[in-house]
Amino acid sequence: MQRAADRDHRDRRDRRERRDQGERRARGLRRALVCAAAVPVMLVAAGCSSSSDSGSEEKAADSGTKTSASPSESPSPTVQAAVYKSLPDACKVLSKKTLEDLVPEAKSGKKGSSDDASTRGSCSWSSLDNNGVKGSQFRWLNISLLRFESDVTRGSGDKLAQDYYETQLGDAKSVSGAKNTKSEPVSGVGGEATAVRYDLKKKEGSFKQETVVARVENVVVTLDYNGAGLAGEKAPSADALNKLAQKAVKEVVAAVAKENDGGAAGTPSGAPSKEASGSPSKSASNKS
């Protein structure tokens, strides 16, 4: 009986121990499962946090890059203002005495057509001193004025006038059929001036041509003067014509300055020039 009781006691103890071991294993398994489940959650959370931080850093970097790369607003372009704002009447730029010296038989000047008198003007005079059988003395004078406005896309009025001045000189020096061409600078006339002379044979006779081109600030003055002895009359002196032409161009330049009160500069302007694209005037030798 005692042995049976001992066996029962051992059996209960063994079952209790096995149960306790099973419970311990179950608890251990649950803890393992919980930890295993927690690890990916932590990894995912860490990954999200890393991605979020990286994105924030990238956005910040992009923002900084864009901010630093974005160009600042540049100021509006300006150009030096043109000094002269208007032109005098081309038919009134010479004194009566000067006209008598150059074209003694001229009654009045013939004004050239212009769509804008403030930017372009011209006037011409013809003189024929007819001495009958002794021949005649012919003189022809033309004055052309061209004013350039400053333009932000093309440059200052002075620069545009400088370019046109050089074009006019080139034309005067390359007239077809001209002979004995000579040129010389003219002092005391605006910013720069050059006189070009040559001989030109025409059906009416042999002509002596004088062309003086002067630039004063943003205005170009072209004075064409020629003369000829017709019907057996002696040809005029080239030196005499040159002297008269240079005297006249000085008066024209002075008239331009006077028209603009001495040439007071205005404020910078970006307005395009209406006349800037105008073609050079023809040489007087081709008009006579």
Side-chain angles (χ1 to χ4, degrees), residues 34-89:
V34 170
C35 290
V39 169
V41 172
M42 293 175 65
L43 290 175
V44 170
C48 292
S49 176
S50 175
S51 175
S52 175
D53 292 342
S54 175
S56 298
E57 291 174 358
E58 289 177 358
K59 289 179 180 179
D62 289 345
S63 176
T65 301
K66 291 178 182 179
T67 301
S68 60
S70 59
S72 58
E73 292 185 4
S74 58
S76 299
T78 59
V79 66
Q80 182 179 357
V83 174
Y84 293 133
K85 301 298 182 183
S86 61
L87 293 175
D89 185 336

Side-chain angles (χ1 to χ4, degrees), residues 82-119:
V83 174
Y84 293 133
K85 301 298 182 183
S86 61
L87 293 175
D89 185 336
C91 290
K92 297 180 179 179
V93 292
L94 296 179
S95 66
K96 182 179 179 181
K97 175 65 170 60
T98 299
L99 285 172
E100 288 177 351
D101 290 340
L102 274 74
V103 282
E105 300 300 320
K107 301 304 179 183
S108 60
K110 181 180 179 182
K111 183 176 293 188
S113 60
S114 175
D115 57 355
D116 186 354
S118 70
T119 61

Side-chain angles (χ1 to χ4, degrees), residues 189-206:
V189 182
E192 53 191 333
T194 303
V196 180
R197 66 168 72 178
Y198 53 84
D199 298 333
L200 192 64
K201 183 73 174 178
K202 295 186 178 184
K203 63 180 181 179
E204 297 90 350
S206 296

Side-chain angles (χ1 to χ4, degrees), residues 80-87 146-150 156-165 189-193 214-221 253 256-257 260 262-266 275:
Q80 182 179 357
V83 174
Y84 293 133
K85 301 298 182 183
S86 61
L87 293 175
L146 192 60
R147 185 182 68 84
F148 293 86
E149 267 293 352
S150 295
S156 68
D158 282 15
K159 179 60 171 62
L160 296 173
Q162 171 70 34
D163 293 342
Y164 184 72
Y165 167 83
V189 182
E192 53 191 333
R215 181 185 70 83
V216 51
E217 304 295 352
N218 57 306
V219 174
V220 176
V221 175
V253 168
V256 172
N260 291 272
E275 82 292 356

